[in-house]
Amino acid sequence: MEFVVNGKTAKVDAGADTPAVELLREGLGLTGAKPACGSGVCGACTILVGGTPVVSCLTPGAAIEGRDVTTVEGLGGTHPVQRAFAAHDALQCGYCTPGFVVAAAAFTDRWRAAHGDVAPTRSQIARAMAGHLCRCGAYESILAAIAAACAGRHDGDDPVPARVEAWEKITGRARYTTDVRLEGQLEGVIIRATRPHARVGAVHVEGAAVAELMPADRVVRYVGQPIAAVAAPTRAAALAAAASAEVEYTPLPAALTTAEAEQPDAPVVYGSRAERRGAPKSNEAPLSPAKWQGNVRGPAAASWRAGTAMRRIDEARERGDQRLVSATFTTATQVHTAMEPHACVARWDDKGELHLHLSTQAVSAVAAEAAKRWSLKPAQIHIVADHVGGGFGSKVHITSDLVAAVELARITAAPVRVVLDRAEELTDGGSRPATRIELSLLADAGAGLAAMSLDAWSDGGTSIGSNAAALSRYIYGTAPRRLRDFDVLTHRPPAAPFRGPGGPPMAWALEQAVDEIAHRCGEDPIALRRRWDGNPKRRALYDWAAALPAWTGRQPVGSPDGRFRRGVGVAATNWLYLLDPGTEIELVVQRGVVVARTTTQDIGTGSRSVIADLVRTELGLPAGRVRVEVGRTGTVYGPASVASSATPSIGPAAIDAARRLRAALPAGPVLESLGDAEGVRVVGKRRRDRRGYVTPFPIGNLAIGRGFAGAVHLTEVEVDARLATVRVTRVWCGIAAGHIYAERLARSQCEGGIIQGIGYALFEQRHVDPATGVVLTDNLEDYRIPGIGDTPEISLHFHQEGWEHVTGHGVGLGEMSTVGMAASIGNAVHAATGWRPHDLPIRPDRLREGIS
Ligand code: FES
């Protein structure tokens, strides 16, 4: 097959049906186009054919034969849109970026030819980019970048981007694990269970190497659980081998819904103590001890004067007290679905050492786990994760892609790549558990909160880790409260920690109940929170929010009429400050450049750029004299990108390292001394906070720092009463996380968290067939995540005081930006319509029933 790619004639030996994306990536090594969804929904594989954007996953080779094809590599890094993406930080993990850039370049050229140098409106850009998805939620910056490029503001010089690796991502040069192709590499595919609960006997596969992936008891507990993996020279051959596999099942009864699972005679997911100990976890924190009864684990209690709380609530109920709000709130399962799926390329070398290219958000932790699992010394594990296409909590530990690749590589003595497809990712790639929360909140006359009772049931399939109740322990003073967490286990896929685990469902219930009390008492909801909330940092945020014109000019609850009804809602977030106290950063002078290294990774959060900026600023060096190498083992210990802990860990360590290097060099400007300092090496540490930590020693490498962080979301929605839809039009988000290490990157993080919160509130809901246990929403059409057209105008406010006791004066913020988002939308919908949503997502059928 012959075609012209980026101005050069190319020949590839492949069938006419072979998707163009495969021809380009596997045949020509042009890996800029990413095959992320496989169904033409996400746009990450967009290329230009004859100047027109097409999704190359759905374009057969025959359709590009003899045609002119342009990939992101062909834009050469000189298109105004590429400069604009760099200048506006219109990317985070960067996995969707090549697709956006290619389509945006074509749109910008067409637009300018038709309209001249005029910026299109947000909705015009959103319509043009409607076929593209970004799970990091970089939409606000993408809108700004495309508008600026169309207006001719990026025709000149290359800007200095906020993100040091921006050009690699914008030009398609950045190599992700999915792009790795080693000499002699085989492709691995996982064979997955088709029964929700069964004992597995023999597994027969013809014509391919096979590695078994089952637990010791050979029991599968959900449809989609890995059973074995096969390797073959091509993915097509591996898929064919997997499809021909014969698995012997002895079916066992299954509990496929929480209602079934709660029955006294329900089939149990875990029958023994040992099995329960091996249950996967849906949050990073250590779990409080709790009893098991069948499939129910709990209560795990975090109560404080529970008896008093219940007595007050019961008495208030008896007397019909209006200041008692009792309600049930539910949330749906939200799937991580990072744009780069779970992926691993494994290779064993002649010395028996293991080499991994891995899409991970925890290089250090996974290296330690892998060493333990395969009985290797830490120095025998070599991980490379140069670029990682998102994670959000789903890539923290050893996952099935890694185990499959390693075992197959051992069996075949060849490198093996395993990349999950989107259906696997949406089935077994991790999710936030669904929840049911029963909440009673009692206000004291004229004072504050009198009592709270919050019972949370987490529905995380085969996983445990309910913590929504525990998280409500530390907000709104010290009033008595009974807080109980339960897990209800089912034969469905396990959940995993997801950005702010437990926080969004907790806020969904609590912040709406607080709003309801304010409504019943006729009090301003911000004023009431300010009165109840003793946190001085959040009080400053309340003052900021209360002064916003959107708040002062809002209409009374439920007063808007007609088809389009606007309302404004508020929600507060209380959050922990976590850090990894063992974090180190080494600086080495090499050929006149300061090279910074640590075993952390950059999953789109900007850790590489934070280190570069701090070292450069501290030493007074120009950008080209500092290089950061992260995403690899073989250097000093670095943190996982979890729990908003990475930046408050690496920031102070980078500053400490820079100061040590300055001290190690001769007096005078550092730039002048670098030439004579070849090989000088220092290691900076994350120095202890002035007041120490809450936890006496790190738990899972993390310490809980002193003080609570906070956020306040103010959200405006427009409810279309005829179509029963909700559109978020504007969001103001105040964050009290102290010193902001890199403002542009912090903004991008928070905007992304807000977008994910909108998805949680309005669209995202995993569906599992209650009869078979099959995940039905296994593609990005049926599992809907926010697109660029769902993006509101976002204003961020950082309150930077109150963290003077913390080394570096700043704490993490990524999780806080999402926790209160859905709750603020719920309160805004109530303000617009007078109807309060209790169940997420706020689907049209629910809204229609509520407002009719
Ligand atoms: Fe778009 Fe990560 S930057 S998916």
Side-chain angles (χ1 to χ4, degrees):
M1 201 174 297
E2 191 170 302
F3 46 97
V4 177
V5 185
N6 302 331
K8 289 190 193 134
T9 301
K11 284 187 189 169
V12 181
D13 188 17
D17 289 346
T18 309
V21 69
E22 205 175 309
L23 297 181
L24 295 165
R25 290 173 58 86
E26 308 302 330
L28 301 175
L30 293 169
T31 55
K34 309 293 187 213
C37 73
S39 55
V41 182
C42 78
C45 65
T46 299
I47 58 173
L48 303 179
V49 178
T52 302
V54 300
V55 284
S56 58
C57 65
L58 295 187
T59 305
I64 64 169
E65 190 155 21
R67 305 288 306 276
D68 241 324
V69 172
T70 306
T71 68
V72 69
E73 291 92 341
L75 296 179
T78 56
H79 195 282
V81 151
Q82 291 176 298
R83 294 197 190 102
F85 267 58
H88 291 264
D89 197 38
L91 64 148
Q92 292 178 39
C93 79
Y95 204 73
C96 69
T97 306
F100 266 103
V101 164
V102 167
F107 169 71
T108 303
D109 292 346
R110 275 200 320 275
W111 176 271
R112 295 178 77 178
H115 305 278
D117 294 348
V118 179
T121 63
R122 283 170 75 94
S123 60
Q124 285 168 324
I125 298 170
R127 268 200 297 279
M129 295 291 119
H132 294 261
L133 294 174
C134 172
R135 188 51 161 163
C136 297
Y139 297 130
E140 182 73 351
S141 306
I142 292 170
L143 288 164
I146 296 173
C150 286
R153 289 206 287 275
H154 292 284
D155 292 344
D157 296 337
D158 291 345
V160 177
R163 202 172 288 267
V164 293
E165 79 282 8
W167 288 111
E168 284 179 67
K169 291 178 172 174
I170 289 163
T171 56
R173 287 201 315 272
R175 280 210 341 154
Y176 297 79
T177 301
T178 53
D179 302 329
V180 171
R181 191 165 184 79
L182 305 179
E183 185 73 26
Q185 179 175 297
L186 303 176
E187 300 294 334
V189 167
I190 295 175
I191 298 165
R192 293 179 179 274
T194 55
R195 310 290 172 97
H197 193 199
R199 198 168 295 283
V200 175
V203 180
H204 307 279
V205 184
E206 296 292 325
V210 185
E212 290 212 347
L213 300 175
M214 262 168 308
D217 61 6
R218 298 187 73 80
V219 172
V220 291
R221 292 181 168 83
Y222 60 93
V223 173
Q225 181 174 328
I227 286 182
V230 293
T234 64
R235 182 162 169 84
L239 282 169
S244 72
E246 286 177 20
V247 179
E248 290 176 7
Y249 292 107
T250 305
L252 298 168
L256 291 173
T257 65
T258 52
E260 284 172 22
E262 283 174 303
Q263 297 302 315
D265 57 348
V268 292
V269 176
Y270 300 115
S272 70
R273 211 175 265 187
E275 288 173 4
R276 290 167 182 166
R277 264 202 303 271
K281 313 274 187 305
S282 60
N283 84 68
E284 297 108 347
L287 301 186
S288 303
K291 287 195 178 131
W292 289 71
Q293 266 200 309
N295 289 315
V296 180
R297 181 185 185 275
S303 305
W304 161 247
R305 297 171 62 203
T308 306
M310 295 317 294
R311 183 174 45 76
R312 288 180 183 175
I313 288 169
D314 290 344
E315 287 170 1
R317 186 169 292 126
E318 253 172 48
R319 65 175 181 265
D321 195 326
Q322 276 299 294
R323 290 162 304 181
L324 172 69
V325 171
S326 290
T328 300
F329 296 87
T330 69
T331 65
T333 301
Q334 183 185 29
V335 182
H336 297 68
T337 198
M339 292 311 284
E340 183 186 32
H342 287 76
C344 178
V345 181
R347 176 176 72 84
W348 291 91
D349 69 16
D350 299 343
K351 294 181 286 184
E353 299 191 358
L354 181 57
H355 299 257
L356 302 170
H357 289 266
L358 188 64
S359 186
T360 180
Q361 54 191 98
V363 172
S364 287
V366 171
E369 287 178 28
K372 195 166 166 200
R373 181 171 184 130
W374 284 284
S375 303
L376 297 168
K377 296 192 182 104
Q380 293 175 302
I381 301 272
H382 310 275
I383 296 183
V384 176
D386 285 339
H387 297 286
V388 180
F392 316 115
S394 70
K395 297 177 179 171
V396 181
H397 298 289
I398 286 185
T399 42
S400 57
D401 51 305
L402 190 158
V403 178
V406 171
E407 294 298 345
L408 288 168
R410 189 207 290 277
I411 291 167
T412 60
V416 175
R417 173 169 63 178
V418 175
V419 178
L420 301 198
D421 66 21
R422 192 52 53 182
E424 292 177 288
E425 198 63 36
L426 286 162
T427 298
D428 196 25
S431 59
R432 186 192 298 285
T435 56
R436 184 178 92 244
I437 290 178
E438 289 180 4
L439 173 65
S440 289
L441 211 57
L442 177 66
D444 209 342
L449 178 63
M452 182 198 303
S453 161
L454 194 154
D455 284 351
W457 281 268
S458 178
D459 169 15
T462 61
S463 65
I464 57 175
S466 179
N467 66 338
L471 287 173
S472 60
R473 171 80 163 79
Y474 301 104
I475 190 167
Y476 301 131
T478 55
R481 51 195 81 190
R482 188 185 72 177
L483 309 172
R484 303 189 301 183
D485 274 299
F486 300 84
D487 288 290
V488 182
L489 284 92
T490 58
H491 291 99
R492 292 184 295 176
F498 192 164
R499 204 170 198 163
M506 181 273 290
W508 171 245
L510 179 61
E511 288 302 302
Q512 285 209 80
V514 171
D515 227 60
E516 183 61 29
I517 286 182
H519 180 57
R520 290 186 188 179
C521 297
E523 187 169 357
D524 178 321
I526 293 181
L528 180 139
R529 284 178 172 84
R530 198 185 186 291
R531 199 157 57 73
W532 282 17
D533 193 340
N535 184 310
K537 299 186 277 289
R538 211 158 31 243
R539 283 185 160 195
L541 294 180
Y542 294 134
D543 292 343
W544 160 79
L548 290 169
W551 187 253
T552 54
R554 74 192 187 285
Q555 296 183 33
V557 168
S559 62
D561 211 349
R563 176 174 174 180
F564 297 102
R565 304 173 190 180
R566 290 206 172 210
V568 180
V570 67
T573 298
N574 185 59
W575 207 242
L576 299 168
Y577 147 46
L578 291 125
L579 74 155
D580 186 334
T583 300
E584 295 182 338
I585 291 181
E586 71 166 346
L587 299 182
V588 186
V589 180
Q590 290 181 342
R591 298 199 192 101
V593 171
V594 176
V595 182
R597 296 190 185 97
T598 179
T599 315
T600 192
Q601 53 291 311
D602 194 337
I603 63 170
T605 49
S607 52
R608 194 182 262 116
S609 307
V610 167
I611 296 170
D613 256 19
L614 292 172
V615 172
R616 194 174 51 74
T617 307
E618 198 65 31
L619 296 177
L621 292 172
R625 292 303 192 97
V626 175
R627 188 170 79 242
V628 180
E629 295 177 0
V630 295
R632 292 181 180 235
T633 46
T635 179
V636 294
Y637 173 81
S641 301
V642 298
S644 297
S645 65
T647 300
S649 303
I650 60 175
I655 293 170
D656 186 55
R659 289 179 182 164
R660 286 171 192 251
L661 182 63
R662 177 185 281 282
L665 297 174
V670 173
L671 183 59
E672 287 167 24
S673 59
L674 286 183
D676 300 325
E678 184 66 14
V680 172
R681 176 181 182 271
V682 297
V683 175
K685 296 182 186 310
R686 203 294 179 188
R687 283 186 297 111
R688 191 173 167 80
D689 288 354
R690 189 148 44 82
R691 285 164 41 203
Y693 308 125
V694 175
T695 39
F697 47 82
I699 303 168
N701 298 328
L702 291 179
I704 300 176
R706 295 200 182 275
F708 285 102
V712 172
H713 287 80
L714 200 75
T715 298
E716 180 192 70
V717 301
E718 182 182 83
V719 174
D720 182 335
R722 190 181 300 167
L723 296 180
T725 54
V726 178
R727 189 167 69 89
V728 179
T729 49
R730 290 205 65 177
V731 175
W732 296 261
C733 177
I735 301 258
H739 172 64
I740 302 296
Y741 284 94
E743 179 156 345
R744 181 56 257 186
L745 303 177
R747 287 183 179 279
S748 294
Q749 270 291 292
C750 292
E751 286 163 4
I754 286 165
I755 299 288
Q756 285 184 352
I758 291 172
Y760 188 58
L762 300 182
F763 317 122
E764 298 189 39
Q765 182 171 25
R766 189 190 70 182
H767 287 285
V768 179
D769 184 345
T772 63
V774 172
V775 171
L776 301 171
T777 44
D778 70 347
N779 61 78
L780 286 176
E781 271 182 297
D782 293 327
Y783 187 83
R784 157 104 150 85
I785 64 173
I788 195 166
D790 303 311
T791 308
E793 287 181 40
I794 298 172
S795 305
L796 292 162
H797 166 76
F798 295 124
H799 177 73
Q800 303 202 32
E801 287 144 38
W803 294 98
E804 288 72 21
H805 62 285
V806 169
T807 307
H809 302 173
V811 302
L813 45 64
E815 294 181 303
M816 277 192 295
S817 60
T818 208
V819 168
M821 193 57 222
S824 71
I825 292 174
N827 286 330
V829 168
H830 178 252
T833 65
W835 167 73
R836 181 169 297 289
H838 287 80
D839 305 303
L840 284 182
I842 309 171
R843 296 188 318 239
D845 59 315
R846 290 170 169 165
L847 179 58
R848 182 179 303 286
E849 195 184 331
I851 63 176
S852 62

